[in-house]
Amino acid sequence: MARVVTFEGVEGAGKTTYAHWAAYELFSQGHEAFLSQEPFGAVGGFIRTHLLAGSPHCIPPLSQLFLFEASRVEHVRFLRSRRADEADFVVLDRFVDSTLAYQGYALGLDIGLIESLNRMSSAEFWPCKTFLLDLDPKSAAERVRLRSGGNAWDTGQDAFFKAVREGFLRIAENNPERVTVINALESQEVIRERVRRELQSYVRP
Ligand code: TYD
């Protein structure tokens, strides 16, 4: 079974950049690495068009939860169909912790319920290592303002951002073995070195 490595954090923290870099780095070291991201597939498309285009409070949290979990079921089916489980690593840009942080800690749904659904939807792809790129709301808002192509959740939601960030930090606190918190304001060199070093312990000889 592939080792699943996830990158999590608020918008603007750099998840996508480092997930791509990590997959490439593993690949250059001779490992087979499969890179993917959420929200995924047809349900992911629906989420982007109908959910992320409005405020996080427009659609009831429970509906959101079911949408993100359905998107994950589709994602896992895709990963299996591509035999990603047979790769050395599966690197994911957002996964189960995003649901816990956004729909759980920030939007108030029951954490135990989400944990159960996350276990079901992710099936055998449970992460062994998660890098949480931690960023304060002010820097996040500034980064998001400077980049193009974001969604409506990315802007003007200070209290929501703060709650999501705190949710991620709670997840890290509750899962110290799995989750490594990285200050997203560190230089790219420092962050890459940290990720590289941590990943070494998951490389099979
Ligand atoms: P996306 O446009 O992919 O941007 P990002 O680069 O921030 O990942 O947006 C995904 C959005 O979906 C983001 O605002 C977080 C949210 N989300 C949830 O609320 N719950 C989830 O389970 C997932 C996977 C994402």
Side-chain angles (χ1 to χ4, degrees):
M1 181 61 204
R3 279 133 292 166
V4 178
V5 175
T6 60
F7 285 80
E8 298 275 12
V10 297
E11 286 76 356
K15 299 170 305 297
T16 307
T17 305
Y18 292 108
H20 278 74
W21 171 81
Y24 183 75
E25 174 70 14
L26 288 163
F27 181 74
S28 354
Q29 289 175 11
H31 307 291
E32 202 182 326
F34 195 100
L35 173 68
S36 190
Q37 82 183 118
E38 289 199 354
F40 180 89
V43 182
F46 181 91
I47 288 173
R48 283 182 202 286
T49 315
H50 298 283
L51 184 58
L52 301 176
S55 137
H57 306 284
C58 278
I59 296 187
L62 195 58
S63 304
Q64 298 185 24
L65 173 65
F66 292 144
L67 285 170
F68 283 109
E69 296 293 349
S71 156
R72 185 161 306 125
V73 169
E74 200 183 343
H75 192 188
V76 162
R77 195 173 65 158
F78 166 79
L79 292 173
R80 286 185 188 133
S81 76
R82 295 300 165 95
R83 298 182 182 275
D85 50 331
E86 292 173 17
D88 297 315
F89 288 91
V90 172
V91 179
L92 301 174
D93 172 3
R94 289 199 187 281
F95 201 46
V96 286
D97 295 320
S98 280
T99 320
L100 259 192
Y102 284 79
Q103 282 67 47
Y105 288 109
L107 292 172
L109 288 182
D110 184 79
I111 298 299
L113 166 72
I114 301 181
E115 282 172 344
S116 305
L117 291 173
N118 276 348
R119 285 278 173 187
M120 284 172 80
S121 60
S122 62
E124 71 270 30
F125 290 90
W126 192 256
C128 64
K129 183 83 240 165
T130 295
F131 295 102
L132 169 58
L133 292 156
D134 179 48
L135 189 61
D136 65 278
K138 198 161 160 267
S139 309
E142 188 56 24
R143 284 191 182 182
V144 163
R145 199 178 57 77
L146 292 174
R147 76 178 184 195
S148 55
N151 59 58
W153 285 27
D154 293 349
T155 47
Q157 308 280 347
D158 288 356
F160 183 67
F161 255 141
K162 194 164 168 282
V164 171
R165 182 204 190 189
E166 281 164 10
F168 274 127
L169 289 172
R170 284 277 290 281
I171 296 169
E173 223 174 271
N174 294 338
N175 300 273
E177 307 267 280
R178 173 173 68 85
V179 183
T180 298
V181 182
I182 296 180
N183 178 357
L185 293 176
E186 291 283 7
S187 70
Q188 286 212 5
E189 282 67 44
V190 168
I191 295 179
R192 286 177 181 183
E193 193 41 44
R194 183 87 193 274
V195 173
R196 191 184 284 122
R197 209 169 349 110
E198 295 256 352
L199 285 180
Q200 282 318 304
S201 34
Y202 296 92
V203 167
R204 289 189 192 118

